[in-house]
Amino acid sequence: MSLKIYLDGNFVPEENAVVSVFDHGLLYGDGVFEGIRAYHNRVFKMEEHIERFYESAKTLTMELPISEEEMTEVVLETCRRNDLRDAYIRLVATRGKGDLGLDPKKCPRPTVFCIAASIQLYPDELYTKGLEVITVATRRNLGEACNPRVKSLNYLNNIYGKIEANLAGVPEAIMLNQEGYVAEATGDNIFLVKKGKLITPPIHAGILEGITRNCVMDLAREKGIPVEEKMFTRHDIFNAEECFLTGTAAELIPVVKVDGRTIADGKPGQMTWKLIDAFRELTKVDGPQIFK
Ligand code: PXG
């Protein structure tokens, strides 16, 4: 069945959901996006996603044509139109149509669209067995050059990382920052467990401030687990008790091997399972309902 896509104020069948070849989202990767999930008839962490979307747009000086409240309704209505209660939602705002020069001033109006569908990043069995990953030579973007905090349509840095993982035959890559500290995976944040503490790189490591990351830190604190945001290196991953990745698309997924080194006993750890359970419970109650 053809999906119904929200595009600039209308819901159109996917065959008709097209943007111009002069759209600067396509020509220059000039735009912002969010990947959002709905679980059990609720859009998980809706407010956080909408807030980050508008903040990314603000930094790029993109004035979105509708309010945050209206954008929230767009997301909910896109799910309704496709009869989805569990979904992976892609909300996008591009710079819009311009000329063949890169100047955003020449683009009068952003293009906004929203897709509600589904996604599976990794095969099911990897969620129980854990991932093998590598660190890659491509460094994460320098914050002062292309700020990783902005969830922009310019994902080539991450795609380079993914290409290196593909070439090495593993499903995911860990990217280091310019100083050699661990930053994040290509589309996920990273966590370690060491001596009962949960450790994740700080925002100034040059990462996206993941909504799942923040949620997992909150859940851990609620459970009395100490959480630290601090820089760490590959050495710390090799010697961690547990390691996992977080992201809207990936959710929480254990990592059991990095650069050929097995983490602890090579099985997903207790703290990881505990946080996965807590996360699943939260998805049942968090966020606005799609159908009343
Ligand atoms: N870091 C980066 C670079 C991301 O793109 C995350 C962390 C996790 O953030 P959230 O807020 O989702 O917890 C992301 C988001 C994909 C894919 O296909 C992944 C993301 C976005 C779009 C597609 O792997 N990750």
Side-chain angles (χ1 to χ4, degrees), residues 105-127:
K105 269 205 319 274
K106 308 263 186 70
C107 305
R109 191 170 41 88
T111 303
V112 178
F113 60 89
C114 183
I115 308 168
S118 61
I119 196 171
Q120 176 152 28
L121 273 201
Y122 309 111
D124 275 338
E125 60 158 12
L126 292 183
Y127 283 85

Side-chain angles (χ1 to χ4, degrees), residues 33-36 49 52 88 90 119 121-122 140 148 151 155 158 162 172 184-189 207-214 246-250:
F33 79 101
E34 280 297 317
I36 311 171
H49 283 286
R52 189 171 65 184
Y88 181 74
R90 179 58 56 90
I119 196 171
L121 273 201
Y122 309 111
R140 193 73 177 96
K151 203 162 164 62
Y155 254 54
N158 317 59
K162 199 70 166 185
E172 191 50 80
E184 58 184 333
T186 63
D188 309 308
N189 293 111
I207 61 170
L208 180 76
E209 185 172 0
I211 289 167
T212 320
R213 167 191 184 272
N214 290 351
T246 65
T248 299

Side-chain angles (χ1 to χ4, degrees), residues 191 193 198 215-221 223 225 242 244 252 269-281:
F191 282 86
V193 177
L198 197 59
C215 170
V216 164
M217 289 197 292
D218 288 345
L219 287 170
R221 290 189 182 110
K223 298 199 167 305
I225 300 165
E242 302 181 30
F244 61 89
L252 276 73
Q270 282 313 306
M271 177 104 70
T272 304
W273 287 129
K274 201 163 151 180
L275 291 167
I276 288 174
D277 283 347
F279 180 80
R280 289 205 178 125
E281 284 305 308

